[in-house]
Amino acid sequence: MASRLLTVPAALLLSLTALSSLAADGTPLGWVERGLILPEQVTVKFKLDTGALTSSMHAEDVDYFEKDGDKWVRFDLDLKDVEHDKLVKSRIERKLQRELTVRGAGGKEDRPVVLMKVCVGDRLLEEEFSLRDRDEMNYPVLLGRRTLEKLGPVDSARTFTIEPNCSELANR
C-alpha cells in the first residue's frame, strides 16, 4: 500500500512538469509551432512530429572536419525568419555527436547529428538534430519524440498555440 501511495505523487509531479509547456490557454502544443533557433535568433515553423524519433534541422553545404582531435561539421543555415520576414544566413560549426542512418522509401541515408539550442514557448532546449537539406520541405525544423517528451502533449488538430519567449534564458 505504501508503494502505491508513493507512485501517485510521482505521477502527479511528472504530469505537472509536462503541463509547464502547454499553451497559455492550457491546451497542448499544436502539431506546428513557431520556434526560435539560437544563437542566430531566427524564428521558423517547427513541425512537432510524433512519428520521428530524432529531431531534424535544415542545413546546406555540410562539411566534415577535425578540431582538437574530434570530428566536427560545418554547415550553412539559410532560413527565412517568419517573424521579421527576412533571410538569415549563418555558417555554423558544431561538434559531431554521432551519425544517424535514416531508412525510408528512397533508400538509406547517413546524416550528421549535432547539438543545437532552440526555444519552444518558454522552454530553452539543447537537443540533438540530424542535419539535412530541407529546402523542399514545408518545415525547416522537425521535433522528434526525444525532444517532444520534454515539451508535453501535442494536439494534432491545433497549430500555433504558443510563441517562442526565451530571450532572457538565451542570454545566459
Side-chain angles (χ1 to χ4, degrees):
M1 173 105 158
S3 64
R4 240 195 224 160
L5 293 176
L6 292 176
T7 58
V8 172
L12 180 60
L13 180 62
L14 286 173
S15 64
L16 290 175
T17 303
L19 291 177
S20 68
S21 290
L22 295 177
D25 65 359
T27 60
L29 296 171
W31 71 278
V32 178
E33 295 289 349
R34 283 179 200 84
L36 194 60
I37 300 172
L38 302 167
E40 287 68 25
Q41 300 285 338
V42 57
T43 303
V44 298
K45 293 177 185 175
F46 286 19
K47 178 180 179 184
L48 283 62
D49 188 349
T50 60
L53 182 60
T54 304
S55 298
S56 180
M57 184 175 292
H58 174 72
E60 297 177 18
D61 298 321
V62 178
D63 295 318
Y64 292 81
F65 66 101
E66 195 168 303
K67 182 175 176 180
D68 300 325
D70 293 317
K71 292 181 181 178
W72 284 62
V73 293
R74 173 182 300 122
F75 58 95
D76 290 335
L77 184 75
D78 294 347
L79 298 169
K80 183 170 183 173
D81 187 306
V82 295
E83 185 175 322
H84 301 101
D85 195 34
K86 67 177 182 178
L87 185 63
V88 176
K89 293 185 174 202
S90 296
R91 187 77 171 154
I92 297 174
E93 292 183 356
R94 293 286 187 274
K95 185 176 178 181
L96 181 68
Q97 298 298 306
R98 62 188 173 99
E99 288 280 340
L100 175 69
T101 301
V102 178
R103 290 174 180 80
K108 81 176 193 177
E109 173 186 16
D110 291 327
R111 297 181 192 167
V113 176
V114 299
L115 288 177
M116 295 289 293
K117 286 186 181 177
V118 296
C119 171
V120 179
D122 63 355
R123 299 290 305 272
L124 179 63
L125 303 168
E126 185 172 38
E127 295 294 314
E128 284 190 344
F129 285 87
S130 69
L131 301 178
R132 178 178 191 262
D133 187 335
R134 296 181 59 85
D135 264 344
E136 301 300 317
M137 307 288 192
N138 291 328
Y139 308 100
V141 175
L142 180 145
L143 298 182
R145 291 189 309 272
R146 286 189 177 120
T147 302
L148 294 177
E149 69 185 8
K150 297 171 186 165
L151 292 174
V154 176
D155 183 343
S156 63
R158 298 179 59 94
T159 58
F160 306 117
T161 64
I162 196 165
E163 291 295 322
N165 186 21
C166 297
S167 54
E168 292 175 15
L169 298 171
N171 295 328
R172 291 184 188 175

